[in-house]
Amino acid sequence: MVVIVAFQELLTRTTYIPKHNAFRRLIGEPPMSGDEKRRFLNVLAMDSVSSMGSEISAIIVATSFKLLFFDHRVRWDFGYEAAQAPAIGPELGAAAFALCLEGVCDVVAMTVQSYQGVPMLDMLSGTKSKEFLAYLAFAQCLAVTVTLTSFVVRPIWWNCETIDLCSCTFAMDSSSDVLTEFCCGYGG
């Protein structure tokens, strides 16, 4: 799946400008003026940098969550097998593979986009780079907080009488033996 997603991202990023130009021709729009094109390419460059940062963060955060939150799997289900903790070696190997694949796709996409005229941005010393890095950090922290909160709150407000997990209807469902045994001490 990681390979398919990486290939899709590479294909999307490397064909965005040709698709945009073809669409403009199709709807009868004239070519962009110099200022319009410069602004468009700068926005595209910023979008690419933001996407790369988000994708790399997502790989690291997802792997970290899966490894760190196994003991809390009843509240936060990150794709666990119910009875067995994730093996650290294979999980880290999969994360390293995903990061390498992401890196290769990003380098190829940046090379093609640079050839197409998209400017390369310097994240550490470019215009408003400190503000952009602060925004990225804030956005990543907010996404993590909202995700964790939604996994905690999600079942409570419509399936439970109180905040106690054992009061939830899905905890007593015979199809959720692991959950019933985990929170209530008796299972099927």
Side-chain angles (χ1 to χ4, degrees):
M1 185 60 146
V2 173
V3 174
I4 293 170
V5 171
F7 180 72
Q8 176 270 333
E9 176 197 356
L10 177 65
L11 190 64
T12 301
R13 284 182 55 193
T14 57
T15 61
Y16 188 79
I17 292 174
K19 287 186 295 189
H20 177 74
N21 293 338
F23 184 72
R24 283 183 68 89
R25 281 191 303 274
L26 183 68
I27 62 172
E29 289 286 322
M32 288 187 280
S33 69
D35 286 341
E36 287 176 323
K37 187 172 184 176
R38 189 172 25 265
R39 188 172 35 248
F40 173 76
L41 292 176
N42 283 333
V43 168
L44 188 57
M46 192 59 98
D47 179 64
S48 294
V49 168
S50 180
S51 294
M52 287 186 287
S54 295
E55 289 154 4
I56 290 169
S57 295
I59 293 167
I60 294 169
V61 168
T63 302
S64 300
F65 280 3
K66 193 166 185 182
L67 293 175
L68 295 174
F69 288 109
F70 178 76
D71 292 338
H72 309 285
R73 65 191 174 278
V74 172
R75 288 191 179 237
W76 292 312
D77 182 7
F78 295 110
Y80 297 113
E81 293 297 324
Q84 184 175 345
I88 293 174
E91 290 295 331
L92 291 177
F97 175 70
L99 286 170
C100 289
L101 199 56
E102 178 69 29
V104 168
C105 288
D106 286 343
V107 167
V108 171
M110 286 188 305
T111 303
V112 171
Q113 285 180 318
S114 179
Y115 177 75
Q116 293 172 341
V118 177
M120 295 296 108
L121 300 178
D122 185 350
M123 297 252 326
L124 300 177
S125 63
T127 305
K128 297 204 178 260
S129 59
K130 302 299 186 256
E131 293 88 347
F132 181 67
L133 290 174
Y135 163 75
L136 279 181
F138 172 76
Q140 296 300 325
C141 290
L142 181 65
V144 167
T145 303
V146 168
T147 302
L148 287 177
T149 303
S150 70
F151 274 102
V152 169
V153 174
R154 180 180 51 138
I156 302 301
W157 63 277
W158 71 73
N159 284 325
C160 306
E161 295 173 20
T162 66
I163 193 86
D164 180 27
L165 197 57
C166 290
S167 73
C168 302
T169 56
F170 60 83
M172 303 317 233
D173 184 6
S174 62
S175 66
S176 61
D177 294 337
V178 172
L179 179 61
T180 303
E181 192 170 323
F182 183 86
C183 80
C184 302
Y186 55 91

